[in-house]
Amino acid sequence: RKDPEQILPREIEYLVQNCDGSGVGLWQHAQDTLMEIDSVGRGGLLVDAPEVGAATAAEQNQGLLNPVIAFYTTENIINWRMKRYGSVNRVVMVVLRETWEYFEADNEFVTKVGEQYRVLDLDEAGKYRQRLYRFKEAGGEAEPVVEIYPNLGPQLEGKIPFTFIGASNNDATIDDAPMLPLAELNIGHFRNSADNEE
């Protein structure tokens, strides 16, 4: 019933007002994420940023280069691979399903929605990259694979900024949904009531 106290460094205070790049604040983003975890038991968070090399100083001053936090539901985390580095398990590959909008050349007023797969991995040099595979609504690849090298600073060099979140813990294993026992109990109550009525 009480909003949490949000104390953030000045460099990331923008997250309070715009956490995911579409105007959703950090508190609302956390609420939406928790609602999904309560009902399904699993999800993932990706810290994403553009390639700074393609941007101008004006865009940087307007906050257009700020990293954002994107939430992915468990159904959209298609595949993943973990690797052990010393005593730490790290994500070395994740495939995320998304949607993308496009227009056909013969009709610019009809928006079509296709599937897009975002592959997060480390290239041969150990640098973090994203590859986008886009498919049209009717199927078939829409365009060549797009490679992106997000600039997230030297502290994340060679690491994929993706983390799993779950109901029991935040590792890559799939947790049971917290609401599942309550749903099963409600089904049992309904069954008893239906049998009694009959």
Short mmCIF file of all heavy atoms in Angstrom, two decimals, residues 114-169:
data_model
loop_
_atom_site.label_atom_id
_atom_site.label_comp_id
_atom_site.label_asym_id
_atom_site.label_seq_id
_atom_site.Cartn_x
_atom_site.Cartn_y
_atom_site.Cartn_z
N GLY A 114 5.02 -8.67 -37.80
CA GLY A 114 5.72 -9.94 -37.98
C GLY A 114 6.48 -10.31 -36.72
O GLY A 114 6.50 -9.57 -35.74
N GLU A 115 7.11 -11.47 -36.77
CA GLU A 115 7.92 -11.92 -35.63
C GLU A 115 9.37 -11.52 -35.82
O GLU A 115 9.88 -11.49 -36.95
CB GLU A 115 7.84 -13.44 -35.47
CG GLU A 115 6.62 -13.90 -34.72
CD GLU A 115 6.71 -15.36 -34.29
OE1 GLU A 115 7.47 -16.12 -34.92
OE2 GLU A 115 6.02 -15.72 -33.34
N GLN A 116 10.01 -11.23 -34.71
CA GLN A 116 11.42 -10.88 -34.72
C GLN A 116 12.12 -11.65 -33.60
O GLN A 116 11.59 -11.74 -32.50
CB GLN A 116 11.57 -9.37 -34.49
CG GLN A 116 12.97 -8.90 -34.23
CD GLN A 116 13.03 -7.39 -34.09
OE1 GLN A 116 12.86 -6.67 -35.06
NE2 GLN A 116 13.26 -6.91 -32.89
N TYR A 117 13.27 -12.21 -33.91
CA TYR A 117 14.05 -12.93 -32.90
C TYR A 117 15.34 -12.15 -32.64
O TYR A 117 16.12 -11.91 -33.56
CB TYR A 117 14.35 -14.35 -33.36
CG TYR A 117 13.11 -15.21 -33.40
CD1 TYR A 117 12.32 -15.25 -34.54
CD2 TYR A 117 12.72 -15.94 -32.29
CE1 TYR A 117 11.15 -16.01 -34.57
CE2 TYR A 117 11.57 -16.70 -32.31
CZ TYR A 117 10.79 -16.73 -33.45
OH TYR A 117 9.63 -17.48 -33.48
N ARG A 118 15.53 -11.76 -31.38
CA ARG A 118 16.71 -11.02 -30.96
C ARG A 118 17.67 -12.01 -30.30
O ARG A 118 17.36 -12.55 -29.24
CB ARG A 118 16.33 -9.89 -30.00
CG ARG A 118 17.48 -9.00 -29.58
CD ARG A 118 16.99 -7.89 -28.65
NE ARG A 118 15.99 -7.08 -29.30
CZ ARG A 118 16.24 -5.95 -29.97
NH1 ARG A 118 17.48 -5.53 -30.10
NH2 ARG A 118 15.25 -5.26 -30.52
N VAL A 119 18.80 -12.24 -30.91
CA VAL A 119 19.80 -13.17 -30.38
C VAL A 119 20.89 -12.36 -29.68
O VAL A 119 21.56 -11.54 -30.31
CB VAL A 119 20.41 -14.04 -31.50
CG1 VAL A 119 21.46 -14.98 -30.92
CG2 VAL A 119 19.32 -14.81 -32.22
N LEU A 120 21.04 -12.59 -28.39
CA LEU A 120 22.09 -11.94 -27.61
C LEU A 120 23.21 -12.95 -27.43
O LEU A 120 22.97 -14.06 -26.93
CB LEU A 120 21.58 -11.51 -26.23
CG LEU A 120 20.18 -10.87 -26.15
CD1 LEU A 120 19.81 -10.61 -24.71
CD2 LEU A 120 20.13 -9.59 -26.95
N ASP A 121 24.42 -12.60 -27.83
CA ASP A 121 25.54 -13.52 -27.64
C ASP A 121 26.84 -12.74 -27.64
O ASP A 121 26.87 -11.51 -27.70
CB ASP A 121 25.54 -14.62 -28.71
CG ASP A 121 25.78 -14.10 -30.12
OD1 ASP A 121 25.88 -12.87 -30.30
OD2 ASP A 121 25.87 -14.91 -31.05
N LEU A 122 27.95 -13.48 -27.56
CA LEU A 122 29.29 -12.89 -27.62
C LEU A 122 29.91 -13.32 -28.94
O LEU A 122 29.86 -14.50 -29.31
CB LEU A 122 30.14 -13.37 -26.44
CG LEU A 122 29.56 -13.09 -25.05
CD1 LEU A 122 30.44 -13.74 -23.97
CD2 LEU A 122 29.41 -11.61 -24.80
N ASP A 123 30.49 -12.37 -29.67
CA ASP A 123 31.09 -12.71 -30.96
C ASP A 123 32.45 -13.40 -30.76
O ASP A 123 32.85 -13.71 -29.63
CB ASP A 123 31.20 -11.48 -31.85
CG ASP A 123 32.17 -10.44 -31.30
OD1 ASP A 123 32.89 -10.73 -30.32
OD2 ASP A 123 32.22 -9.32 -31.86
N GLU A 124 33.15 -13.65 -31.85
CA GLU A 124 34.41 -14.39 -31.79
C GLU A 124 35.45 -13.68 -30.92
O GLU A 124 36.31 -14.32 -30.31
CB GLU A 124 34.98 -14.60 -33.21
CG GLU A 124 34.12 -15.48 -34.11
CD GLU A 124 32.90 -14.76 -34.66
OE1 GLU A 124 32.85 -13.50 -34.61
OE2 GLU A 124 31.96 -15.44 -35.12
N ALA A 125 35.37 -12.35 -30.85
CA ALA A 125 36.32 -11.58 -30.05
C ALA A 125 35.85 -11.43 -28.60
O ALA A 125 36.51 -10.76 -27.81
CB ALA A 125 36.52 -10.20 -30.68
N GLY A 126 34.71 -12.03 -28.27
CA GLY A 126 34.20 -11.94 -26.91
C GLY A 126 33.42 -10.67 -26.62
O GLY A 126 33.17 -10.33 -25.46
N LYS A 127 33.01 -9.94 -27.68
CA LYS A 127 32.27 -8.69 -27.51
C LYS A 127 30.77 -8.96 -27.59
O LYS A 127 30.31 -9.74 -28.43
CB LYS A 127 32.70 -7.70 -28.60
CG LYS A 127 32.27 -6.28 -28.32
CD LYS A 127 32.90 -5.31 -29.30
CE LYS A 127 32.43 -3.90 -28.98
NZ LYS A 127 32.93 -2.93 -29.96
N TYR A 128 30.01 -8.29 -26.72
CA TYR A 128 28.55 -8.47 -26.68
C TYR A 128 27.91 -7.90 -27.93
O TYR A 128 28.18 -6.76 -28.32
CB TYR A 128 28.00 -7.80 -25.42
CG TYR A 128 26.50 -7.62 -25.40
CD1 TYR A 128 25.64 -8.69 -25.61
CD2 TYR A 128 25.94 -6.37 -25.17
CE1 TYR A 128 24.27 -8.53 -25.59
CE2 TYR A 128 24.56 -6.20 -25.14
CZ TYR A 128 23.74 -7.27 -25.35
OH TYR A 128 22.38 -7.10 -25.33
N ARG A 129 27.02 -8.68 -28.54
CA ARG A 129 26.31 -8.21 -29.73
C ARG A 129 24.88 -8.71 -29.71
O ARG A 129 24.52 -9.64 -28.98
CB ARG A 129 26.99 -8.69 -31.00
CG ARG A 129 26.82 -10.18 -31.23
CD ARG A 129 27.39 -10.65 -32.54
NE ARG A 129 27.39 -12.11 -32.59
CZ ARG A 129 27.89 -12.83 -33.56
NH1 ARG A 129 28.45 -12.24 -34.60
NH2 ARG A 129 27.85 -14.16 -33.52
N GLN A 130 24.06 -8.08 -30.52
CA GLN A 130 22.69 -8.52 -30.76
C GLN A 130 22.52 -8.73 -32.26
O GLN A 130 23.04 -7.96 -33.07
CB GLN A 130 21.69 -7.45 -30.29
CG GLN A 130 21.70 -7.19 -28.81
CD GLN A 130 20.65 -6.16 -28.42
OE1 GLN A 130 19.83 -5.73 -29.23
NE2 GLN A 130 20.67 -5.77 -27.16
N ARG A 131 21.78 -9.80 -32.61
CA ARG A 131 21.43 -10.03 -34.01
C ARG A 131 19.92 -10.12 -34.11
O ARG A 131 19.27 -10.80 -33.32
CB ARG A 131 22.08 -11.32 -34.52
CG ARG A 131 23.58 -11.21 -34.73
CD ARG A 131 24.21 -12.51 -35.13
NE ARG A 131 24.19 -13.44 -34.00
CZ ARG A 131 24.31 -14.74 -34.13
NH1 ARG A 131 24.44 -15.30 -35.32
NH2 ARG A 131 24.30 -15.53 -33.07
N LEU A 132 19.35 -9.42 -35.09
CA LEU A 132 17.91 -9.40 -35.30
C LEU A 132 17.55 -10.20 -36.54
O LEU A 132 18.04 -9.91 -37.63
CB LEU A 132 17.40 -7.96 -35.45
CG LEU A 132 17.63 -7.02 -34.27
CD1 LEU A 132 17.07 -5.64 -34.59
CD2 LEU A 132 17.02 -7.57 -33.00
N TYR A 133 16.69 -11.20 -36.35
CA TYR A 133 16.15 -12.00 -37.47
C TYR A 133 14.67 -11.64 -37.58
O TYR A 133 13.90 -11.93 -36.68
CB TYR A 133 16.32 -13.49 -37.19
CG TYR A 133 17.76 -13.95 -37.11
CD1 TYR A 133 18.47 -13.83 -35.93
CD2 TYR A 133 18.38 -14.51 -38.22
CE1 TYR A 133 19.80 -14.27 -35.85
CE2 TYR A 133 19.70 -14.96 -38.15
CZ TYR A 133 20.40 -14.82 -36.96
OH TYR A 133 21.70 -15.25 -36.89
N ARG A 134 14.29 -11.04 -38.69
CA ARG A 134 12.90 -10.59 -38.86
C ARG A 134 12.18 -11.45 -39.90
O ARG A 134 12.73 -11.80 -40.93
CB ARG A 134 12.88 -9.12 -39.29
CG ARG A 134 13.32 -8.21 -38.18
CD ARG A 134 13.33 -6.76 -38.60
NE ARG A 134 13.55 -5.91 -37.44
CZ ARG A 134 13.88 -4.64 -37.51
NH1 ARG A 134 14.03 -4.06 -38.70
NH2 ARG A 134 14.05 -3.93 -36.42
N PHE A 135 10.90 -11.74 -39.58
CA PHE A 135 10.07 -12.55 -40.46
C PHE A 135 8.76 -11.82 -40.70
O PHE A 135 8.20 -11.21 -39.79
CB PHE A 135 9.81 -13.92 -39.84
CG PHE A 135 11.06 -14.71 -39.61
CD1 PHE A 135 11.77 -14.58 -38.42
CD2 PHE A 135 11.54 -15.56 -40.58
CE1 PHE A 135 12.93 -15.31 -38.20
CE2 PHE A 135 12.71 -16.29 -40.38
CZ PHE A 135 13.40 -16.16 -39.19
N LYS A 136 8.25 -11.92 -41.93
CA LYS A 136 7.00 -11.26 -42.27
C LYS A 136 5.81 -12.00 -41.69
O LYS A 136 5.92 -13.13 -41.25
CB LYS A 136 6.87 -11.13 -43.79
CG LYS A 136 7.86 -10.15 -44.38
CD LYS A 136 7.54 -9.85 -45.82
CE LYS A 136 8.45 -8.76 -46.34
NZ LYS A 136 8.17 -8.43 -47.74
N GLU A 137 4.66 -11.33 -41.73
CA GLU A 137 3.43 -11.87 -41.16
C GLU A 137 3.08 -13.22 -41.78
O GLU A 137 2.69 -14.15 -41.09
CB GLU A 137 2.30 -10.86 -41.40
CG GLU A 137 0.99 -11.21 -40.78
CD GLU A 137 -0.06 -10.16 -41.08
OE1 GLU A 137 -0.25 -9.82 -42.27
OE2 GLU A 137 -0.67 -9.66 -40.14
N ALA A 138 3.25 -13.36 -43.09
CA ALA A 138 2.90 -14.59 -43.78
C ALA A 138 4.02 -15.63 -43.72
O ALA A 138 3.88 -16.72 -44.24
CB ALA A 138 2.57 -14.28 -45.24
N GLY A 139 5.13 -15.28 -43.06
CA GLY A 139 6.25 -16.21 -42.98
C GLY A 139 7.34 -15.82 -43.96
O GLY A 139 7.12 -15.04 -44.89
N GLY A 140 8.49 -16.37 -43.79
CA GLY A 140 9.61 -16.05 -44.67
C GLY A 140 10.41 -14.87 -44.13
O GLY A 140 9.85 -13.93 -43.58
N GLU A 141 11.71 -14.95 -44.30
CA GLU A 141 12.58 -13.91 -43.79
C GLU A 141 12.34 -12.61 -44.54
O GLU A 141 12.18 -12.59 -45.75
CB GLU A 141 14.05 -14.34 -43.92
CG GLU A 141 14.93 -13.69 -42.88
CD GLU A 141 16.25 -14.44 -42.70
OE1 GLU A 141 16.35 -15.59 -43.11
OE2 GLU A 141 17.16 -13.84 -42.15
N ALA A 142 12.30 -11.51 -43.79
CA ALA A 142 11.93 -10.23 -44.38
C ALA A 142 13.13 -9.46 -44.90
O ALA A 142 13.04 -8.78 -45.91
CB ALA A 142 11.19 -9.38 -43.36
N GLU A 143 14.25 -9.53 -44.24
CA GLU A 143 15.41 -8.74 -44.63
C GLU A 143 16.67 -9.38 -44.05
O GLU A 143 16.59 -10.28 -43.21
CB GLU A 143 15.27 -7.30 -44.15
CG GLU A 143 14.99 -7.15 -42.67
CD GLU A 143 14.68 -5.71 -42.30
OE1 GLU A 143 13.63 -5.22 -42.74
OE2 GLU A 143 15.48 -5.12 -41.59
N PRO A 144 17.84 -8.92 -44.48
CA PRO A 144 19.07 -9.52 -43.95
C PRO A 144 19.20 -9.33 -42.44
O PRO A 144 18.59 -8.44 -41.84
CB PRO A 144 20.17 -8.73 -44.68
CG PRO A 144 19.51 -8.14 -45.88
CD PRO A 144 18.08 -7.92 -45.51
N VAL A 145 19.98 -10.18 -41.82
CA VAL A 145 20.20 -10.12 -40.37
C VAL A 145 20.88 -8.81 -40.01
O VAL A 145 21.83 -8.38 -40.67
CB VAL A 145 21.06 -11.32 -39.91
CG1 VAL A 145 21.34 -11.24 -38.42
CG2 VAL A 145 20.38 -12.62 -40.26
N VAL A 146 20.36 -8.15 -38.97
CA VAL A 146 20.93 -6.89 -38.49
C VAL A 146 21.80 -7.17 -37.28
O VAL A 146 21.36 -7.83 -36.34
CB VAL A 146 19.81 -5.90 -38.11
CG1 VAL A 146 20.38 -4.60 -37.59
CG2 VAL A 146 18.88 -5.66 -39.29
N GLU A 147 23.03 -6.68 -37.30
CA GLU A 147 23.94 -6.83 -36.16
C GLU A 147 24.04 -5.51 -35.42
O GLU A 147 24.23 -4.46 -36.04
CB GLU A 147 25.33 -7.28 -36.61
CG GLU A 147 25.47 -8.76 -36.79
CD GLU A 147 26.93 -9.21 -36.82
OE1 GLU A 147 27.84 -8.36 -36.78
OE2 GLU A 147 27.15 -10.43 -36.89
N ILE A 148 23.91 -5.56 -34.09
CA ILE A 148 23.98 -4.36 -33.25
C ILE A 148 25.00 -4.63 -32.14
O ILE A 148 25.01 -5.71 -31.55
CB ILE A 148 22.61 -4.03 -32.62
CG1 ILE A 148 21.55 -3.86 -33.70
CG2 ILE A 148 22.68 -2.80 -31.74
CD1 ILE A 148 20.13 -3.84 -33.18
N TYR A 149 25.84 -3.63 -31.87
CA TYR A 149 26.78 -3.72 -30.75
C TYR A 149 26.43 -2.61 -29.76
O TYR A 149 26.95 -1.50 -29.86
CB TYR A 149 28.22 -3.58 -31.25
CG TYR A 149 28.75 -4.83 -31.92
CD1 TYR A 149 28.54 -5.05 -33.28
CD2 TYR A 149 29.43 -5.79 -31.19
CE1 TYR A 149 29.01 -6.20 -33.89
CE2 TYR A 149 29.90 -6.96 -31.80
CZ TYR A 149 29.69 -7.14 -33.15
OH TYR A 149 30.16 -8.29 -33.75
N PRO A 150 25.54 -2.89 -28.80
CA PRO A 150 25.14 -1.85 -27.84
C PRO A 150 26.33 -1.39 -27.00
O PRO A 150 27.18 -2.18 -26.61
CB PRO A 150 24.10 -2.56 -26.95
CG PRO A 150 23.68 -3.74 -27.74
CD PRO A 150 24.85 -4.14 -28.56
N ASN A 151 26.38 -0.08 -26.74
CA ASN A 151 27.46 0.48 -25.94
C ASN A 151 26.95 0.68 -24.52
O ASN A 151 26.19 1.60 -24.24
CB ASN A 151 27.93 1.81 -26.54
CG ASN A 151 29.23 2.27 -25.92
OD1 ASN A 151 29.47 2.09 -24.74
ND2 ASN A 151 30.08 2.87 -26.74
N LEU A 152 27.37 -0.17 -23.60
CA LEU A 152 26.93 -0.10 -22.21
C LEU A 152 28.06 0.22 -21.25
O LEU A 152 27.92 0.07 -20.05
CB LEU A 152 26.27 -1.43 -21.81
CG LEU A 152 24.92 -1.69 -22.48
CD1 LEU A 152 24.55 -3.15 -22.36
CD2 LEU A 152 23.85 -0.82 -21.87
N GLY A 153 29.20 0.65 -21.77
CA GLY A 153 30.30 1.05 -20.91
C GLY A 153 31.29 -0.08 -20.68
O GLY A 153 30.98 -1.26 -20.89
N PRO A 154 32.48 0.27 -20.20
CA PRO A 154 33.54 -0.73 -20.03
C PRO A 154 33.27 -1.76 -18.95
O PRO A 154 33.78 -2.87 -19.01
CB PRO A 154 34.77 0.13 -19.68
CG PRO A 154 34.22 1.42 -19.17
CD PRO A 154 32.92 1.63 -19.88
N GLN A 155 32.44 -1.42 -17.94
CA GLN A 155 32.19 -2.37 -16.85
C GLN A 155 31.38 -3.58 -17.32
O GLN A 155 31.40 -4.63 -16.66
CB GLN A 155 31.50 -1.69 -15.66
CG GLN A 155 30.08 -1.26 -15.91
CD GLN A 155 29.97 0.12 -16.55
OE1 GLN A 155 30.94 0.64 -17.08
NE2 GLN A 155 28.79 0.71 -16.48
N LEU A 156 30.67 -3.48 -18.45
CA LEU A 156 29.90 -4.61 -18.98
C LEU A 156 30.55 -5.21 -20.22
O LEU A 156 29.91 -5.97 -20.95
CB LEU A 156 28.47 -4.16 -19.30
CG LEU A 156 27.58 -3.92 -18.08
CD1 LEU A 156 26.23 -3.35 -18.50
CD2 LEU A 156 27.37 -5.20 -17.29
N GLU A 157 31.80 -4.88 -20.47
CA GLU A 157 32.50 -5.42 -21.64
C GLU A 157 32.57 -6.95 -21.55
O GLU A 157 33.01 -7.52 -20.55
CB GLU A 157 33.92 -4.84 -21.67
CG GLU A 157 34.62 -5.02 -23.00
CD GLU A 157 34.06 -4.13 -24.10
OE1 GLU A 157 33.66 -3.00 -23.82
OE2 GLU A 157 34.04 -4.61 -25.25
N GLY A 158 32.12 -7.61 -22.60
CA GLY A 158 32.17 -9.07 -22.64
C GLY A 158 31.11 -9.76 -21.82
O GLY A 158 31.21 -10.96 -21.57
N LYS A 159 30.08 -9.01 -21.38
CA LYS A 159 28.99 -9.60 -20.61
C LYS A 159 27.66 -9.29 -21.29
O LYS A 159 27.49 -8.22 -21.88
CB LYS A 159 28.97 -9.04 -19.18
CG LYS A 159 30.20 -9.36 -18.38
CD LYS A 159 30.11 -8.72 -17.01
CE LYS A 159 31.41 -8.90 -16.23
NZ LYS A 159 31.42 -8.15 -14.97
N ILE A 160 26.72 -10.22 -21.17
CA ILE A 160 25.38 -10.00 -21.71
C ILE A 160 24.51 -9.44 -20.57
O ILE A 160 24.33 -10.11 -19.56
CB ILE A 160 24.78 -11.31 -22.26
CG1 ILE A 160 25.63 -11.80 -23.42
CG2 ILE A 160 23.34 -11.10 -22.69
CD1 ILE A 160 25.21 -13.15 -23.98
N PRO A 161 23.97 -8.23 -20.72
CA PRO A 161 23.20 -7.61 -19.63
C PRO A 161 21.77 -8.12 -19.55
O PRO A 161 20.81 -7.36 -19.65
CB PRO A 161 23.26 -6.11 -19.98
CG PRO A 161 23.34 -6.10 -21.47
CD PRO A 161 24.13 -7.33 -21.87
N PHE A 162 21.64 -9.42 -19.41
CA PHE A 162 20.33 -10.06 -19.30
C PHE A 162 20.33 -10.90 -18.04
O PHE A 162 21.31 -11.59 -17.74
CB PHE A 162 20.05 -10.94 -20.53
CG PHE A 162 18.73 -11.66 -20.48
CD1 PHE A 162 17.60 -11.06 -20.99
CD2 PHE A 162 18.62 -12.91 -19.90
CE1 PHE A 162 16.37 -11.72 -20.94
CE2 PHE A 162 17.41 -13.57 -19.85
CZ PHE A 162 16.28 -12.97 -20.37
N THR A 163 19.23 -10.85 -17.28
CA THR A 163 19.11 -11.68 -16.10
C THR A 163 17.73 -12.31 -16.04
O THR A 163 16.74 -11.70 -16.43
CB THR A 163 19.38 -10.87 -14.81
OG1 THR A 163 19.35 -11.74 -13.69
CG2 THR A 163 18.34 -9.77 -14.60
N PHE A 164 17.71 -13.54 -15.60
CA PHE A 164 16.44 -14.22 -15.38
C PHE A 164 15.89 -13.78 -14.02
O PHE A 164 16.66 -13.52 -13.09
CB PHE A 164 16.64 -15.74 -15.37
CG PHE A 164 17.02 -16.31 -16.70
CD1 PHE A 164 18.35 -16.57 -16.98
CD2 PHE A 164 16.06 -16.57 -17.66
CE1 PHE A 164 18.72 -17.10 -18.21
CE2 PHE A 164 16.42 -17.10 -18.88
CZ PHE A 164 17.75 -17.36 -19.16
N ILE A 165 14.58 -13.71 -13.91
CA ILE A 165 13.95 -13.47 -12.62
C ILE A 165 12.88 -14.54 -12.43
O ILE A 165 12.23 -14.95 -13.39
CB ILE A 165 13.35 -12.05 -12.50
CG1 ILE A 165 12.45 -11.73 -13.70
CG2 ILE A 165 14.42 -11.02 -12.35
CD1 ILE A 165 11.78 -10.40 -13.60
N GLY A 166 12.76 -15.01 -11.21
CA GLY A 166 11.82 -16.09 -10.95
C GLY A 166 11.11 -15.92 -9.63
O GLY A 166 11.39 -14.99 -8.86
N ALA A 167 10.19 -16.82 -9.35
CA ALA A 167 9.41 -16.76 -8.12
C ALA A 167 10.20 -17.28 -6.92
O ALA A 167 10.04 -16.80 -5.81
CB ALA A 167 8.13 -17.58 -8.29
N SER A 168 11.07 -18.27 -7.14
CA SER A 168 11.86 -18.84 -6.05
C SER A 168 13.26 -18.25 -5.99
O SER A 168 13.76 -17.93 -4.92
CB SER A 168 11.97 -20.36 -6.21
OG SER A 168 10.69 -20.95 -6.20
N ASN A 169 13.91 -18.13 -7.15
CA ASN A 169 15.23 -17.51 -7.22
C ASN A 169 15.43 -16.95 -8.62
O ASN A 169 14.57 -17.10 -9.48
CB ASN A 169 16.33 -18.53 -6.85
CG ASN A 169 16.23 -19.78 -7.70
OD1 ASN A 169 16.04 -19.71 -8.91
ND2 ASN A 169 16.32 -20.93 -7.06
#
